[in-house]
Amino acid sequence: MKTTATVAALTGLLSSASAQYFGLTSARSASPIHYQSVSASGQSLWLGKPTASYCPENVKDIDGCPAGNTTTFAGGEGSLSMGVVVPGGQQVYVEPDTGAVKYTIAHSAAMPEGAIVTGWSTNPGNGFGILSNENGGLLACPCESDEGSWKVFVQLEGVSFDDGCLGFDALTSNSTQAGAWQYS
Ligand SMILES: *[C@@H]1O[C@H](CO)[C@@H](O)[C@H](O)[C@H]1NC(C)=O
Ligand SMILES: *[C@@H]1O[C@H](CO)[C@@H](O)[C@H](O)[C@H]1NC(C)=O
C-alpha cells in the first residue's frame, strides 16, 4: 500500500515537472505571415508583435522568472492555456462575438459571457505538431493602428472578417519551460 502511494506521488511529481509547453509559429507560404511567432500582448495573441510579460518584484528577488520574451502555451487538448508560472495560470478563450483569441489576466478567471474555452487539439506532424480549433480555422488580421502586427482570431461561424485577413497553420514546437511568469 505504502509503496503504491509513494509511486503514485512520485509519478504525479514527475509528470508535473515535465509539463509540456510549446511555442507556436504561423505558416502561410508566400505571405507576410509565413513563419512568425505567435505572441501574447494585452490579453490578445498576435503575429509580428513582441511578447508582453510581467515578473513581480518579490519573485524577481527570490527565484527569478523565465526570460519572458517568448510566448509559450500549455494543454491544447480540449482547452488551451498560456505557458506561465503564476498560480492559477492564464486560460485561453475565444471571444464569442469577434472570434478574437484572448487570455485571462493573472489572478482572475474573468471571461466574457459565452467565451469559448474548448475545441483545441494538437495533431503531431512530421517533427512538429499543428494546433487547431474545431470551431474554425485560425486567422490573422492586420492591425491598422500598429503596422506589421496581425491579431489572431478563430474564424467562428456567423462572424465576418476583413478581406485582408489570412488563414494560417499554427505549428507547435516543444519547450521544456514556461515562457513567462505571466503574460500581460
Ligand atoms: C530572451 O532573453 C534572453 C535573456 O535575456 C536572451 O538570451 C534570448 O536571446 C532572448 N530571446 C529572444 C527570442 O528574444
Ligand atoms: C513534443 O512533445 C509531445 C508531447 O510530449 C511529444 O509527443 C512529441 O513527440 C514532441 N515532439 C518533438 C518534435 O519532440
Side-chain angles (χ1 to χ4, degrees):
M1 275 313 275
K2 198 170 176 195
T3 311
T4 312
T6 310
V7 169
L10 252 177
T11 310
L13 264 179
L14 284 176
S15 63
S16 69
S18 62
Q20 185 64 57
Y21 299 102
F22 56 92
L24 289 174
T25 304
S26 61
R28 164 85 187 221
S29 56
S31 86
I33 58 160
H34 198 39
Y35 286 136
Q36 297 227 29
S37 298
V38 177
S39 60
S41 182
Q43 288 159 256
S44 291
L45 298 185
W46 306 85
L47 304 175
K49 203 182 182 84
T51 293
S53 66
Y54 173 73
C55 177
E57 288 300 330
N58 60 335
V59 179
K60 212 180 272 176
D61 292 346
I62 306 164
D63 297 325
C65 289
N69 55 358
T70 59
T71 299
T72 59
F73 299 85
E77 301 303 332
S79 63
L80 179 67
S81 305
M82 301 309 295
V84 290
V85 183
V86 65
Q90 292 180 280
Q91 167 102 53
V92 175
Y93 64 89
V94 179
E95 217 169 46
D97 49 341
T98 66
V101 185
K102 316 269 294 180
Y103 52 90
T104 57
I105 60 172
H107 310 297
S108 166
M111 282 180 242
E113 206 176 312
I116 303 162
V117 296
T118 59
W120 297 99
S121 60
T122 49
N123 304 305
N126 203 358
F128 56 85
I130 294 180
L131 177 77
S132 50
N133 190 293
E134 68 181 13
N135 301 300
L138 288 173
L139 209 58
C141 298
C143 178
E144 276 168 28
S145 59
D146 183 7
E147 209 182 324
S149 294
W150 300 66
K151 196 172 176 182
V152 175
F153 295 84
V154 165
Q155 198 166 8
L156 295 180
E157 215 177 296
V159 177
S160 57
F161 294 93
D162 195 88
D163 287 344
C165 301
L166 295 175
F168 69 93
D169 284 336
L171 310 183
T172 65
S173 50
N174 287 349
S175 172
T176 52
Q177 280 197 331
W181 176 266
Q182 73 191 54
Y183 292 108
S184 42

